[in-house]
Amino acid sequence: MKSFFITFSLLLLVSCSQTKKSSSEDKVTENTVVEIESLSLNIEQANKLASLPIHCINVEYPNKLNQTIGGTKDLQSPKELHPAFYGCFDWHSSVHGHWSLVSLVKQFPSLENAETIKQQLLQNISKENIEKEVQYFYGKYNKSYERTYGWAWLLKLAEELYTWNDPVAKELEKNLQPLTNLIVQKYIEFLPKLRYPIRVGEHTNTAFGLTFAWDYANTVNNNELKLLIETRAKAFYLKDQNCPLSWEPSGFDFLSPCLQEAAIMKRVLPKELFNDWFSKFLPQLKDPNFEFPVGEVSDRKDGKLVHLDGVNFSRAWALNKIIEGLPEYNHLKRLVNQHIEYSLPNLVGDSYEGGHWLGSFAIYALNSAKHD
């Protein structure tokens, strides 16, 4: 394991050589044009990151079911309750573990074990298994199950399949469609009822749930869902100013409340309107010398404390979205790289607490640099 860690770290260091400068060299004047190369996913990293979901999507225990027990009939094993998404400790982690494998095989057809991965995906996301997953959501006590974090990752998985031109992807997309349709309908029913946004840095964060759902709706041209998300995001956030970025992160955050909010507003607002809104929401980010310390993890075997590796990746993907098409914020790439550099070498190890989910965050963060 030590040799793997060293190899993984060296790969990262080589890819980041441009960012390894002294702090004095990093400081720039306000009028300096900053050109910083963003980190992005490569085949070596992809092979290593794929090992995380490969080793957990069919690992049933330990498992956190997050269910309300209505009677003895609900006391079933994770695989009986969730035949498609029973691994990786909990339902949402299993969903985004499957997304990870789809994303990696889609980007890198020569990925090690690519055909085995495809067969595993077909086995798990089968028509019969998805029918049982749908049935679970119709249970008396399950109507709000995984709202909205798991819902968001399910739509991200559906979006990834929709944009993958491969026969296996089309079969998986078809099999998943009943659950995809159900989650879309749940968003449509729920969002008009949500009067106030949830601003925490964990699963229930409203901005995150809106972001992935908007991406799906935008990709598949679901105008009803897209318009609803745009309307609710503006109602929730348009008047926000001076987000307290200095309060972040909280001890268990894996999302940045401020940056995640900015990421959804970047999606739903026209460029000029977003620029005006963002200059009031986080005015300090315009400063080329702005500093944003990484979330430091004190114990990666603690399932909550390791969340801070997640906040580093999610900050990175949110910042990359903010940067997109706005060269005046290119200096933020330095912060993106710092956050990824801190957490990426620590993903593969003996601890299941982070390994069952953090690979997905790393992949999405590295993918987010595509649009530079």
Side-chain angles (χ1 to χ4, degrees), residues 1-9 48-49 51 345 347-349:
M1 184 59 66
K2 288 183 179 178
S3 63
F4 173 84
F5 175 84
I6 292 170
T7 300
F8 192 71
S9 298
K48 292 172 175 62
L49 290 170
S51 69
L347 294 194
V348 179

Side-chain angles (χ1 to χ4, degrees), residues 262-277:
I264 182 60
M265 294 302 275
K266 178 66 183 296
R267 286 164 166 83
V268 304
L269 295 179
K271 182 177 179 179
E272 291 185 3
L273 185 56
F274 174 78
N275 270 341
D276 181 63
W277 176 86

Side-chain angles (χ1 to χ4, degrees), residues 22-69:
S22 68
S23 58
S24 62
E25 289 174 327
D26 282 336
K27 297 296 183 180
V28 292
T29 63
E30 187 173 354
N31 295 324
T32 300
V33 176
V34 180
E35 292 294 341
I36 301 171
E37 183 180 347
S38 293
L39 303 180
S40 59
L41 194 62
N42 59 46
I43 184 63
E44 291 86 1
Q45 292 167 341
N47 279 317
K48 292 172 175 62
L49 290 170
S51 69
L52 296 171
I54 286 173
H55 292 153
C56 82
I57 61 171
N58 295 126
V59 174
E60 189 170 9
Y61 298 104
N63 202 294
K64 186 178 181 181
L65 286 172
N66 290 318
Q67 67 178 131
T68 299
I69 304 299

Side-chain angles (χ1 to χ4, degrees), residues 299-358:
D299 182 358
R300 288 194 166 84
K301 293 186 178 180
D302 186 304
K304 281 289 192 176
L305 296 177
V306 78
H307 274 187
L308 293 168
D309 275 328
V311 85
N312 292 328
F313 292 127
S314 64
R315 282 177 174 180
W317 77 53
L319 286 170
N320 269 334
K321 183 62 182 180
I322 292 165
I323 291 167
E324 185 181 314
L326 300 176
E328 62 268 37
Y329 288 104
N330 276 352
H331 58 275
L332 296 178
K333 290 180 184 178
R334 173 175 55 86
L335 301 179
V336 170
N337 292 350
Q338 288 174 0
H339 279 70
I340 294 176
E341 287 171 7
Y342 175 84
S343 289
L344 188 58
N346 302 305
L347 294 194
V348 179
D350 297 328
S351 176
Y352 194 62
E353 283 76 10
H356 76 271
W357 66 279
L358 274 168

Side-chain angles (χ1 to χ4, degrees), residues 151 154-155 177-190 213 216-217 220 222 224-225 228:
W151 296 4
L154 191 285
L155 293 188
Q177 197 64 53
L179 185 55
T180 303
N181 292 343
L182 176 64
I183 296 303
V184 167
Q185 189 57 38
K186 282 187 168 294
Y187 266 106
I188 290 172
E189 293 172 356
F190 172 64
Y216 169 81
V220 306
N222 186 320
E224 180 184 9
L225 179 59
L228 176 60

Side-chain angles (χ1 to χ4, degrees), residues 115-341:
E115 291 306 314
T116 301
I117 290 171
K118 288 182 179 181
Q119 291 307 308
Q120 190 61 70
L121 290 168
L122 287 168
Q123 178 180 317
N124 289 8
I125 307 176
S126 68
K127 180 176 182 293
E128 296 74 20
N129 287 348
I130 295 303
E131 286 175 352
K132 291 181 181 178
E133 295 282 358
V134 169
Q135 291 172 12
Y136 184 86
F137 279 89
Y138 282 110
K140 181 179 179 181
Y141 300 101
N142 303 330
K143 292 180 174 59
S144 63
Y145 184 68
E146 290 286 351
R147 188 176 71 190
T148 57
Y149 182 76
W151 296 4
W153 274 109
L154 191 285
L155 293 188
K156 183 57 68 177
L157 172 60
E159 179 191 10
E160 201 71 45
L161 291 171
Y162 179 85
T163 55
W164 184 16
N165 185 22
D166 184 276
V168 169
K170 298 312 168 189
E171 183 174 351
L172 292 169
E173 182 187 13
K174 181 179 179 181
N175 292 344
L176 189 65
Q177 197 64 53
L179 185 55
T180 303
N181 292 343
L182 176 64
I183 296 303
V184 167
Q185 189 57 38
K186 282 187 168 294
Y187 266 106
I188 290 172
E189 293 172 356
F190 172 64
L191 289 180
K193 300 177 185 179
L194 186 65
R195 300 191 65 177
Y196 314 102
I198 302 163
R199 300 179 185 271
V200 299
E202 291 192 275
H203 304 86
T204 53
N205 182 278
T206 300
F208 175 82
L210 294 178
T211 296
F212 277 16
W214 188 95
D215 289 346
Y216 169 81
N218 185 57
T219 297
V220 306
N221 296 316
N222 186 320
N223 291 325
E224 180 184 9
L225 179 59
K226 184 178 175 182
L227 180 59
L228 176 60
I229 292 169
E230 290 177 357
T231 301
R232 299 309 295 146
K234 291 174 183 177
F236 290 147
Y237 306 124
L238 195 56
K239 295 181 180 179
D240 286 358
Q241 297 183 20
N242 297 311
C243 194
L245 200 62
S246 62
W247 292 9
E248 299 185 21
S250 294
F252 298 157
D253 278 357
F254 59 83
L255 297 168
S256 163
C258 290
L259 294 181
Q260 198 61 58
E261 178 176 334
I264 182 60
M265 294 302 275
K266 178 66 183 296
R267 286 164 166 83
V268 304
L269 295 179
K271 182 177 179 179
E272 291 185 3
L273 185 56
F274 174 78
N275 270 341
D276 181 63
W277 176 86
F278 190 61
S279 67
K280 299 172 184 175
F281 182 66
L282 286 173
Q284 63 271 50
L285 267 66
K286 196 68 174 288
D287 180 1
N289 295 321
F290 172 71
E291 296 293 339
F292 197 24
V294 300
E296 297 183 7
V297 181
S298 61
D299 182 358
R300 288 194 166 84
K301 293 186 178 180
D302 186 304
K304 281 289 192 176
L305 296 177
V306 78
H307 274 187
L308 293 168
D309 275 328
V311 85
N312 292 328
F313 292 127
S314 64
R315 282 177 174 180
W317 77 53
L319 286 170
N320 269 334
K321 183 62 182 180
I322 292 165
I323 291 167
E324 185 181 314
L326 300 176
E328 62 268 37
Y329 288 104
N330 276 352
H331 58 275
L332 296 178
K333 290 180 184 178
R334 173 175 55 86
L335 301 179
V336 170
N337 292 350
Q338 288 174 0
H339 279 70
I340 294 176
E341 287 171 7

